[in-house]
Amino acid sequence: MTTAPITALEATFTTPVASFRNPLYSGVQVGLPCPPPSTVGGMLAAAAGGWQHTSETFQFAMAFHARGQGVDLETYHPLDAGGRPTKSNPKDREFLAFTTLTVWITDQPERWRSILRRPLWPLRLGRSQDLVGLHLNTIELARHPGEQRGALVEDLPGTAGTALRLPTAIRLDRARTVWGTYRYDATGTTIATVPDSYSTPTGQAVTLLPPAHPATAEA
């Protein structure tokens, strides 16, 4: 018996420049090779008008690729122990160039197509001054595992790439963060088969990540 495919919205976001600071380091600007799930979830929620318009169980899958990287100077606005602004100063900041983020949404894909076509808040990825380009496509996902390539996946047996400790969800008051351990190959060339994933018509693995909704970070 043939198992029917599942319909998904494939949203491709492109930027000339993006930067994702690693929150595990304080006082220095260390960059991540890809956006954390919390960043992508926040961008999608902003498009919908806020987290109150997003289900607490909402999940998505993602893959990412950057064609280049570099370092520039950006004004750093540190806070003191009480959360008050202190003297700003320039610091080196790592950035990624000509990036492509692909997000797959299987829950209410047509609703999310409508949201992303007319986002309530501008789509931004990694740096507040840089808007993103967007291409939307509806695809059929096969119900069998695909190749990891540039997908961000949970760190499970059989996955490959660099292990990354990334924020999955952040409470609205930012008092608590849910962290997850993920695998990511910046070259996008790993052919490891991702367990329990779907696959696109080209064989790319699509694996849903844990929910990024702030409700999941409530103690």
Side-chain angles (χ1 to χ4, degrees):
M1 181 177 65
T2 302
T3 304
I6 185 170
T7 301
L9 176 67
E10 183 180 75
T12 303
F13 304 87
T14 56
T15 69
V17 175
S19 181
F20 311 105
R21 189 180 71 83
N22 192 330
L24 290 175
Y25 295 84
S26 61
V28 293
Q29 300 283 25
V30 177
L32 290 167
C34 65
S38 59
T39 295
V40 177
M43 180 179 67
L44 296 174
W51 284 113
Q52 68 272 26
H53 300 293
T54 306
S55 168
E56 294 182 9
T57 59
F58 172 65
Q59 293 177 270
F60 56 86
M62 59 177 278
F64 183 78
H65 181 68
R67 290 164 51 193
Q69 59 185 1
V71 177
D72 64 3
L73 285 175
E74 197 160 273
T75 302
Y76 179 57
H77 302 275
L79 303 177
D80 63 18
R84 295 177 294 271
T86 60
K87 183 179 179 181
S88 61
N89 54 81
K91 281 184 177 288
D92 287 343
R93 185 179 179 101
E94 298 175 358
F95 68 87
L96 302 171
F98 304 109
T99 72
T100 300
L101 167 69
T102 306
V103 175
W104 293 274
I105 300 174
T106 59
D107 181 26
Q108 298 181 297
E110 287 307 310
R111 173 178 179 264
W112 280 99
R113 174 186 284 273
S114 177
I115 288 172
L116 292 174
R117 284 188 64 191
R118 295 180 179 272
L120 187 61
W121 296 101
L123 298 172
R124 302 181 188 274
L125 184 66
R127 301 209 315 184
S128 62
Q129 67 266 41
D130 295 317
L131 295 176
V132 306
L134 175 64
H135 176 74
L136 301 173
N137 189 29
T138 299
I139 66 170
E140 299 294 319
L141 300 177
R143 296 177 184 264
H144 59 74
E147 294 180 352
Q148 184 176 326
R149 301 178 189 172
L152 180 70
V153 300
E154 291 187 87
D155 185 13
L156 298 172
T159 56
T162 302
L164 299 171
R165 191 69 173 162
L166 301 175
T168 300
I170 302 173
R171 209 166 76 176
L172 288 177
D173 62 3
R174 307 189 71 82
R176 183 171 182 268
T177 297
V178 174
W179 296 86
T181 303
Y182 299 89
R183 289 279 178 177
Y184 173 68
D185 175 18
T187 69
T189 59
T190 182
I191 59 174
T193 299
V194 180
D196 300 321
S197 64
Y198 302 113
S199 61
T200 69
T202 63
Q204 165 73 59
V206 174
T207 180
L208 296 176
L209 301 176
H213 198 286
T216 64
E218 295 293 335

